[in-house]
Amino acid sequence: MNSETLKIRTKAYSISIGKLINSLPYNILNKNYSNQLVRCSSSVGANYRAACRAKSTADFLNKLKIVEEELDESMFFLELLEEFNPDLKVEMLKNWKEGNELLSIIVSSIITIRKNEQNRKTS
């Protein structure tokens, strides 16, 4: 998967989360959890774009680690919101699965970069 495709997917993820949040009934739990979810899910795309403009491999790796953390946090808040909005379980699961796929891609990239850096240093 190339960087442009991943930029599109991370943006689509943020938009999908936003649409889900707009469909939630208003209450104090949904308000607070959804505020957190908006921040971390939109941070996924923003930080991936920043990673694509990284100045060095170390900078790229650091930014990808932030993307990893924000995806994990997004998945956590989706799980919490699902507990209090079981009628939206299908939509929550769809977003959770996309977050998990993106997380797998990012973690795989991090592992590959570290391996390549190790190989470069030993060569």
Side-chain angles (χ1 to χ4, degrees):
M1 176 170 301
N2 67 32
S3 64
E4 286 307 310
T5 303
L6 209 44
K7 282 181 187 178
I8 291 166
R9 277 186 75 176
T10 57
K11 181 179 178 182
Y13 179 69
S14 299
I15 291 168
S16 182
I17 295 286
K19 288 178 179 179
L20 170 67
I21 287 168
N22 273 337
S23 73
L24 292 173
Y26 182 83
N27 62 51
I28 195 69
L29 282 172
N30 283 348
K31 177 183 182 277
N32 289 317
Y33 291 157
S34 63
N35 283 340
Q36 287 291 102
L37 182 55
V38 165
R39 283 192 286 282
C40 55
S41 66
S42 58
S43 184
V44 169
N47 281 294
Y48 182 74
R49 290 171 71 110
C52 292
R53 294 185 310 277
K55 307 287 187 266
S56 65
T57 302
D59 188 30
F60 182 66
L61 190 57
N62 183 53
K63 286 174 175 31
L64 283 186
K65 290 295 294 173
I66 294 168
V67 173
E68 176 188 17
E69 290 172 12
E70 297 296 343
L71 278 163
D72 186 59
E73 188 175 326
S74 296
M75 293 166 65
F76 174 73
F77 283 108
L78 280 167
E79 290 168 13
L80 289 177
L81 283 167
E82 183 186 324
E83 286 293 319
F84 297 100
N85 300 277
D87 51 319
L88 293 169
K89 183 177 182 143
V90 171
E91 191 63 23
M92 299 273 186
L93 185 58
K94 182 187 114 196
N95 283 288
W96 190 91
K97 284 182 178 179
E98 176 64 3
N100 194 46
E101 282 183 30
L102 290 169
L103 183 58
S104 294
I105 292 164
I106 296 301
V107 168
S108 179
S109 297
I110 290 168
I111 290 167
T112 300
I113 292 163
R114 285 183 173 155
K115 193 181 300 178
N116 290 344
E117 280 298 291
Q118 230 13 339
N119 289 341
R120 188 185 62 77
K121 287 178 182 176
T122 58
S123 296

